[in-house]
Amino acid sequence: MKPALSVLLLTTLIGAAQGLVLALAGVELASWAGAVALPTTFLFAGAVLALLLSAAGLVASFFHLGHPERAWRAAAMWRTSWLSREVIVLPAFMGGTALYGLARWAGHPTALLLVLLAGALALALFVCTGMVYAAVKVIREWASPFTVVNYTAMGAASGLTLATALAAFTALNAPELGVGLGRLALAATLLAAGLRLAAQRRNQRLVPKTTLQTAIGVRHPRIVQKSQGAMGGSFNTREFFHGQGEAFVRRQAVRALLAGWLAPSLMLLPLALGAAALPWVLVAAFVAQCWGLLSERWLFFAQARHPQNLYHSSTA
């Protein structure tokens, strides 16, 4: 498949926003239980940041539409389409986050209830986004529970890393909050890395159900496709192939590993162990993680094998 930059940005940015809102909900609950003092500035700034990330992702998604003025029609098929459900849940998540931010800014007692609502919508949005791809049965690399789980785990990891960096700037009087968030961010990053490796291991073991022999009903052991029957390219050759060489694919895999998992883990480790951490190092951890996740999402799309490529693979 050909990865679209707008979709890569959408899923990475709103994933971090969803993870950040889940972190805010956790801190609100911990404060309600008396485990930590209420870090009002951190919570309000987190809500604003989550809204900005969601809005940036939403704007990026419009560049993927041939007719943005018709985008509202995507919500009409919510009974049968996970994409429609995603289109509905995303603005609901943003609305819930905005209401929570206002309630926290005003000190209104409904803030806890609103952040729990926004957190529930964040989880629902993870499911909708993941199921957009997991429901495509014909692409076996996507049709797996790993797709939804990995979207959730990677969004939680990046959101918690961002929350850790934000706490370093806004919760100076509560260093224990930064340490706690740093430990959760490190655990989430390692968990997300393990789940992604497990998904890749599963995909590498997949045996194609459709072959050239089954496609044309000929059981000869040697069948070679040499021509697509046209001199120029087509929609199929543009959209179902990423058009990059093996060296580029390997660079994306290395970048995802180093920037997405290893570098953030190393930068979070001192804080998780209770040592002092420079706030800008934590910001760098979040930026590196998002950069790596962009490569990971590129691989997610590029390594999906569509059966139609049996016909076009030798000519694209």
Side-chain angles (χ1 to χ4, degrees), residues 137-310:
K137 302 300 183 186
V138 73
I139 300 181
R140 300 178 68 201
E141 288 81 359
W142 293 353
S144 160
F146 274 119
T147 300
V148 176
V149 171
N150 282 334
Y151 266 93
T152 306
M154 289 186 284
S158 58
L160 282 165
T161 302
L162 178 57
T164 305
L166 185 61
F169 285 98
T170 61
L172 300 178
N173 294 329
E176 69 280 3
L177 177 63
V179 173
L181 287 171
R183 288 172 178 168
L184 289 174
L186 178 60
T189 297
L190 295 176
L191 176 63
L195 289 170
R196 186 66 179 102
L197 289 174
Q200 286 182 323
R201 187 174 178 83
R202 167 198 175 265
N203 292 344
Q204 289 169 353
R205 292 179 173 179
L206 288 176
V207 178
K209 288 186 176 179
T210 304
T211 64
L212 284 175
Q213 285 80 2
T214 61
I216 61 177
V218 176
R219 297 186 178 181
H220 193 281
R222 178 173 171 77
I223 299 175
V224 179
Q225 172 66 32
K226 292 184 176 179
S227 172
Q228 64 172 344
M231 296 179 64
S234 64
F235 176 84
N236 290 322
T237 55
R238 288 193 302 272
E239 297 299 324
F240 288 88
F241 291 91
H242 53 73
Q244 301 292 340
E246 287 298 322
F248 184 88
V249 176
R250 283 196 296 271
R251 284 200 300 273
Q252 295 299 319
V254 171
R255 185 180 301 168
L257 176 64
L258 297 182
W261 319 118
L262 186 59
S265 297
L266 292 177
M267 286 188 271
L268 288 166
L269 184 60
L271 180 64
L273 294 176
L278 294 175
W280 288 108
V281 172
L282 300 175
V283 173
F286 172 68
V287 173
Q289 194 161 43
C290 285
W291 192 39
L293 289 183
L294 285 173
S295 293
E296 190 281 331
R297 297 292 158 85
W298 189 92
L299 290 167
F300 173 77
F301 288 102
Q303 294 179 331
R305 291 169 292 187
H306 197 288
Q308 73 97 41
N309 291 356
L310 287 172

Side-chain angles (χ1 to χ4, degrees), residues 62-85:
F62 276 84
F63 291 95
H64 189 58
L65 303 176
H67 293 279
E69 73 280 5
R70 302 176 187 171
W72 64 272
R73 296 184 179 179
M77 303 298 292
W78 60 272
R79 292 181 180 83
T80 56
S81 168
W82 283 103
L83 180 60
S84 288
R85 294 163 189 159

Side-chain angles (χ1 to χ4, degrees), residues 76-158:
M77 303 298 292
W78 60 272
R79 292 181 180 83
T80 56
S81 168
W82 283 103
L83 180 60
S84 288
R85 294 163 189 159
E86 182 189 33
V87 168
I88 294 170
V89 175
L90 175 55
F93 164 71
M94 294 177 67
T97 303
L99 289 175
Y100 164 67
L102 286 173
R104 178 45 59 208
W105 174 73
H108 199 274
T110 58
L112 176 60
L113 181 62
L114 288 172
V115 78
L116 292 178
L117 173 63
L121 288 169
L123 290 174
L125 186 54
F126 276 130
V127 173
C128 291
T129 303
M131 285 304 297
V132 169
Y133 307 103
V136 184
K137 302 300 183 186
V138 73
I139 300 181
R140 300 178 68 201
E141 288 81 359
W142 293 353
S144 160
F146 274 119
T147 300
V148 176
V149 171
N150 282 334
Y151 266 93
T152 306
M154 289 186 284
S158 58

